[in-house]
């Protein structure tokens, strides 16, 4: 894909349904009793992988109108043993959340995925699911993951060792098929879509704030029964992030995104941009399907940025899990701010769809930025006039999209190799971008 420098970006691009929420809607509706209709289901390849794994587990799923999915729930004990390994594709969320569900089923199953997914760490779910009584094995802690489930599981009280919504969700979903109360304590705020979706399906999930700052405990009691519910998935705020950054960085630009998720565990990206002086606003807030939804507006902001006297903006510690998917994009944005940006305590980025620290650093350097890489993050100097370059996203959708935004503000042409990888989360990305950009 060739990206040429843009003069401006304007319009109201419609975002596909949120990827994280769509995974949960599909899995939780599959465990409910009765029919659920999911509207605005994510168009991502990742969520398609979730649907096909559920079908292999005996769940009847029909695609209706545009992005509507009908799911015939089988109950928490109605899944069927699959007769082949379940292919999660590139999707860590599919693998880790499904593992939690499969741990409590009375059969054996295997979860696998593409080369990237087969290199990502699973010990973080193997440990708690094993404590709950499932027999879970993986080769050197990576997929294929084989699960000999146990029904019912044993409820546990567990402190998360990694700040990860995927791990928290895996244990909560396993807790549905456990005897008693399963509690998970986390020291950092991570996205709470599983807790919200379970409540929507009438499963009580208790959340209590801990004594330590940001610490919270979520608890679910099993065995649980889920009532089927219809749901409309909000637009994906992480997908919106690329358009927001482009509008803020280009002159004479304005983007409005309606019907987008604004769950407080996902909006730190907007709050940070706002704090740095970017013109980003949320309006028309309401709740849909137990998730906050609203409109986001972003305008050209270059002249308005808060001068921070040469010290880099610092993103670290408890901020990191709430910005996790936006960090490569924020590195690009940070390279445009006086003083640049430093991201630390973010070693998790090395085990995402690619090593996102290495991929971000290498591609920013290719575009003329000065970048220092650390084991747990990077520092990019700013402001720098980026130059068009050949970008290797390493098969990672978020790297491809972050550098497409970089290409819009760069001098000359940027080539994004292997650009099809954006379909992992956002197949419409390049078409929507091209239709909004003016040259
Ligand atoms: C996700 C959680 C995050 C995020 C991923 C989606 C989810 O992963 O990076 O894209 O849907 O729960 P971790 O919670 O493992 O950091």
């Amino acid at each position: 894909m060739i990206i040429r420098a843009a003069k401006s970006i304007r319009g109201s691009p419609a975002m596909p349904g949120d990827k994280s929420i769509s995974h949960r809607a599909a899995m939780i509706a599959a465990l409910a009793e009765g029919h659920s209709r999911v509207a605005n289901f994510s168009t991502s390849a990742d969520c398609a992988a979730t649907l096909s794994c559920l079908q292999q587990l005996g769940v009847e799923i029909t695609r209706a109108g545009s992005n509507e999915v009908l799911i015939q729930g089988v109950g928490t004990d109605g899944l069927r043993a699959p007769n082949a390994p379940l292919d999660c594709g590139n999707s860590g969320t599919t693998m880790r959340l499904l593992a939690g569900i499969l741990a409590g089923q009375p059969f054996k199953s295997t979860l696998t995925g593409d080369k990237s997914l087969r290199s990502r760490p699973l010990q973080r779910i193997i440990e708690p699911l094993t404590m709950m009584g499932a027999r879970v094995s993986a080769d050197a802690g990576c997929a294929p993951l084989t699960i000999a489930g146990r029904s019912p599981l044993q409820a546990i009280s567990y402190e998360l060792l990694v700040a990860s919504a995927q791990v928290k969700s895996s244990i909560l979903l396993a807790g549905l098929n456990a005897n008693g109360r399963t509690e998970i304590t986390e020291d950092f705020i991570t996205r709470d879509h599983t807790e919200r979706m379970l409540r929507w399906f009438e499963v009580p999930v208790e959340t209590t704030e801990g004594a330590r700052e940001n610490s919270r405990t979520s608890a679910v009691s099993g065995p649980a029964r889920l009532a089927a519910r219809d749901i409309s998935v909000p637009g994906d705020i992480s997908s919106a992030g690329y358009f927001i950054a482009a509008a803020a960085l280009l002159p004479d630009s304005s983007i409005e995104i309606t019907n987008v998720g604004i769950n407080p565990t996902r909006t730190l990206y907007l709050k940070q941009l706002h704090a740095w002086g970017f013109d980003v606003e949320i309006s028309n807030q309401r709740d849909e399907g137990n998730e906050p939804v609203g409109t986001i507006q972003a305008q050209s902001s270059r002249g308005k940025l808060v001068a921070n006297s040469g010290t880099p903006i610092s993103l670290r510690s408890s901020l990191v899990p709430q910005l996790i998917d936006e960090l490569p994009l924020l590195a690009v944005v940070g390279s445009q701010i006086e003083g640049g940006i430093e991201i630390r305590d973010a070693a998790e980025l090395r085990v995402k769809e690619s090593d996102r620290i290495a991929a971000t650093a290498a591609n920013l350097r290719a575009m003329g930025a000065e970048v220092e890489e650390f084991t747990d993050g990077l520092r990019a100097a700013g402001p720098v006039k980026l130059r068009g370059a050949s970008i290797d996203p390493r098969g990672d959708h978020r790297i491809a999209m972050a550098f497409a935004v970089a290409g819009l503000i760069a001098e000359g042409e940027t080539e994004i190799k292997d650009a099809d990888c954006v379909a992992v989360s956002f197949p419409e990305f390049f078409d929507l971008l091209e239709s909004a950009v003016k040259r």
Side-chain angles (χ1 to χ4, degrees), residues 17 109 132 157 275 312 317 320 365 394 407 425:
S109 49
M132 294 179 86
S157 188
S317 180
V320 166
R365 283 191 195 116
R394 306 182 183 196
S425 65

Side-chain angles (χ1 to χ4, degrees), residues 19-20 24 93 96 124 163-166 191 324-325 352:
K19 179 161 81 75
S20 286
R24 287 153 172 89
T93 309
R96 298 196 178 109
R124 53 188 65 193
S164 163
Q166 293 181 354
R191 61 192 72 187
I324 194 73
D325 291 338
K352 291 290 177 187

Side-chain angles (χ1 to χ4, degrees), residues 27-50:
M27 291 184 202
I28 292 173
L31 298 178
E33 279 152 39
H35 226 89
S36 299
R37 178 184 296 265
V38 186
N40 200 33
F41 190 79
S42 165
T43 51
S44 66
D46 272 11
C47 291
T50 287

Side-chain angles (χ1 to χ4, degrees), residues 19-21 23-24 93 96-97 120 124 163-167 169 190-191 193-194 321 324-325 348 352-353 356 398:
K19 179 161 81 75
S20 286
I21 298 175
H23 283 299
R24 287 153 172 89
T93 309
R96 298 196 178 109
L97 271 59
R120 296 179 59 189
R124 53 188 65 193
S164 163
Q166 293 181 354
V167 177
S169 302
T190 64
R191 61 192 72 187
H193 302 302
T194 304
I324 194 73
D325 291 338
E348 270 296 297
K352 291 290 177 187
E353 288 85 325
R356 287 185 174 161
R398 299 218 183 272

Side-chain angles (χ1 to χ4, degrees), residues 324-343:
I324 194 73
D325 291 338
E326 280 65 63
L327 290 171
L329 176 61
L330 284 169
V332 170
V333 172
S335 75
Q336 302 307 300
I337 296 179
E338 195 201 322
I341 190 164
E342 180 169 302
I343 297 169

Side-chain angles (χ1 to χ4, degrees), residues 45-343:
D46 272 11
C47 291
T50 287
L51 294 184
S52 84
C53 290
L54 290 171
Q55 283 171 319
Q56 261 183 276
L57 290 162
V59 182
E60 232 178 84
I61 298 179
T62 329
R63 294 259 190 191
S66 76
N67 306 325
E68 236 180 55
V69 174
L70 306 177
I71 299 176
Q72 180 64 51
V74 295
T76 44
D77 56 359
L79 295 175
R80 193 177 70 202
N83 43 27
L86 300 163
D87 186 357
C88 305
N90 190 246
S91 175
T93 309
T94 307
M95 182 169 287
R96 298 196 178 109
L97 271 59
L98 261 189
I101 292 173
L102 293 170
Q105 305 296 322
F107 54 74
K108 199 166 167 179
S109 49
T110 299
L111 293 160
T112 190
D114 70 6
K115 191 161 173 262
S116 150
L117 187 53
R118 280 186 277 112
S119 73
R120 296 179 59 189
L122 294 174
Q123 192 51 38
R124 53 188 65 193
I125 57 164
I126 295 176
E127 185 188 278
L129 298 177
T130 303
M131 283 169 68
M132 294 179 86
R135 276 185 294 122
V136 188
S137 58
D139 194 10
C142 291
L145 183 74
T146 299
I147 303 176
R150 176 174 131 175
S151 174
L153 290 167
Q154 200 175 299
I156 56 167
S157 188
Y158 191 75
E159 288 219 16
L160 278 193
L161 307 173
V162 217
S164 163
Q166 293 181 354
V167 177
K168 172 178 62 176
S169 302
S170 183
I171 305 169
L172 278 171
L173 292 170
L176 300 174
N177 276 325
N179 262 338
R181 180 182 160 94
T182 294
E183 295 190 340
I184 304 112
T185 300
E186 49 184 352
D187 272 342
F188 291 110
I189 293 170
T190 64
R191 61 192 72 187
D192 65 354
H193 302 302
T194 304
E195 296 89 311
R196 287 171 179 271
M197 187 67 69
L198 284 173
R199 290 188 194 113
W200 183 247
F201 282 78
E202 296 178 17
V203 176
V205 181
E206 241 178 71
T207 303
T208 44
E209 305 297 319
R212 294 184 297 255
E213 201 194 348
N214 291 328
S215 127
R216 16 170 123 169
T217 300
S218 311
V220 70
S221 290
R225 287 169 77 90
L226 288 69
R229 291 295 298 271
D230 290 348
I231 186 149
S232 175
V233 178
D236 195 311
I237 188 173
S238 294
S239 301
Y242 303 98
F243 288 85
I244 293 164
L249 293 172
L250 286 166
D252 195 26
S253 295
S254 174
I255 282 284
E256 180 179 78
I257 299 169
T258 57
N259 192 34
V260 64
I262 48 167
N263 178 313
T265 61
R266 298 281 297 279
T267 49
L268 187 59
Y269 169 73
L270 303 180
K271 290 184 192 131
Q272 289 293 325
L273 292 181
H274 196 261
W276 304 333
F278 285 99
D279 196 345
V280 180
E281 302 288 343
I282 297 179
S283 60
N284 193 21
Q285 299 191 30
R286 60 199 187 276
D287 260 26
E288 249 178 50
N290 214 19
E291 284 280 351
V293 178
T295 297
I296 302 174
Q297 266 153 329
Q299 327 269 350
S300 310
S301 310
R302 286 259 193 196
K304 303 173 188 164
L305 298 191
V306 176
N308 56 344
S309 62
T311 37
I313 284 166
S314 166
L315 296 177
R316 53 168 67 220
S317 180
S318 62
L319 302 182
V320 166
Q322 293 179 67
L323 293 169
I324 194 73
D325 291 338
E326 280 65 63
L327 290 171
L329 176 61
L330 284 169
V332 170
V333 172
S335 75
Q336 302 307 300
I337 296 179
E338 195 201 322
I341 190 164
E342 180 169 302
I343 297 169

